[in-house]
Amino acid sequence: MSDERPDQDHAPISWDALAAELAATREEAARRGDADPAAWDAVAAELAARVADRPVEEQPVPAVPAEDEPAPAREPAPAPEPEPEPLELLDPGELLGGLEALLFVMDDPVDEETLAAALRCPPDQVRAGLAELAAGYDRRSAGITLRRVGEGWRLYTREEHAAVVERHLVDGQRSRLTQAALETLAVIAYRQPVTRARVSAIRGVGVDGVMRTLISRGLVHEVGSDPDSGGGLYATTPLFLERLGLTGLDQLPELAPLLPETATVLDEHPDV
């Protein structure tokens, strides 16, 4: 057997070559008719030298959870974010109409980005549409005007018509309440706090419009919400007592003397 070995730094260990070498050594010993210890010592030294000279890379062993230990839960992959809808240029008529509708229902100034998001169009087109809308109101001296306030836009009544608006508001406050408003106010005064639905049930008709009138006059206001239905609870205001010349609700007249006799109600409403 040769004493020369291949380059241990570059040539990988060939287990097939070692096996062939061992087989050749056995055949040589068999032909000689003896077992030469020196030959087998040389083969063992060769094998040991090759294994010792080439370091073995340790492979990481994955940790195996114990039988009573649950495997760690895998976090779900995050859901992909929805892609934003593409912005498209609107027809000029559709743009101006949409802007006017949005501005009409807004109670506070609204910025251009919010309007653009609602209309699904670029902010630059909204900016140009607002300028065109404001110029159109000014050209025809409309009763409303569109002004920029801070970072937003809002509709206002034109200053030239301020006297008309003021006269309407003042005269409206001085006008007499209708019979329906007086009946609704009486129900609220004696049953407060009460919901609109309860007032409607007592009167047998809808009271939304009448309630708006009473609230605008300052005679009724919302004082909370009903825990059962979630509807708003309404009660009379100090102005209501002031207009009636009362110091408290305990001074309201008794209802019994004002109610009709049972026989009279049955005569007028025999189906009751």
Side-chain angles (χ1 to χ4, degrees), residues 42-57:
V43 173
E46 177 75 12
L47 177 60
R50 293 191 185 186
V51 173
D53 290 346
R54 296 190 62 84
V56 179
E57 295 182 359

Side-chain angles (χ1 to χ4, degrees), residues 143-262:
I144 57 175
T145 179
L146 178 60
R147 296 202 301 264
R148 186 181 182 90
V149 182
E151 297 299 324
W153 294 77
R154 187 178 183 183
L155 292 173
Y156 293 88
T157 57
R158 193 171 296 276
E159 295 181 1
E160 291 86 337
H161 307 292
V164 176
V165 176
E166 183 178 357
R167 183 166 59 250
H168 166 72
L169 295 176
V170 173
D171 291 346
Q173 292 292 339
R174 294 175 181 174
S175 62
R176 296 171 59 90
L177 292 174
T178 62
Q179 183 66 25
L182 290 173
E183 292 177 1
T184 302
L185 184 59
V187 173
I188 296 173
Y190 282 96
R191 299 298 298 269
Q192 61 184 308
V194 63
T195 62
R196 292 192 186 193
R198 183 58 180 165
V199 176
S200 297
I202 294 174
R203 293 200 56 229
V205 294
V207 296
D208 289 345
V210 176
M211 288 290 292
R212 285 194 294 269
T213 300
L214 296 176
I215 293 173
S216 66
R217 297 287 187 90
L219 299 174
V220 171
H221 65 155
E222 188 173 354
V223 295
S225 59
D226 182 51
D228 297 328
S229 64
L233 291 171
Y234 294 88
T236 55
T237 64
L239 179 62
F240 166 77
L241 297 176
E242 179 184 341
R243 292 293 177 88
L244 293 183
L246 306 176
T247 58
L249 295 175
D250 56 339
Q251 294 185 348
L252 286 172
E254 295 291 336
L255 280 177
L258 304 177
L259 295 177
E261 296 291 338
T262 305

Side-chain angles (χ1 to χ4, degrees), residues 89-100 119 125 128-129 132-133:
L89 293 176
L90 298 180
D91 176 78
E94 183 181 359
L95 172 65
L96 296 182
L99 286 174
E100 199 168 32
L119 293 171
Q125 189 183 22
E132 182 178 353
L133 198 61

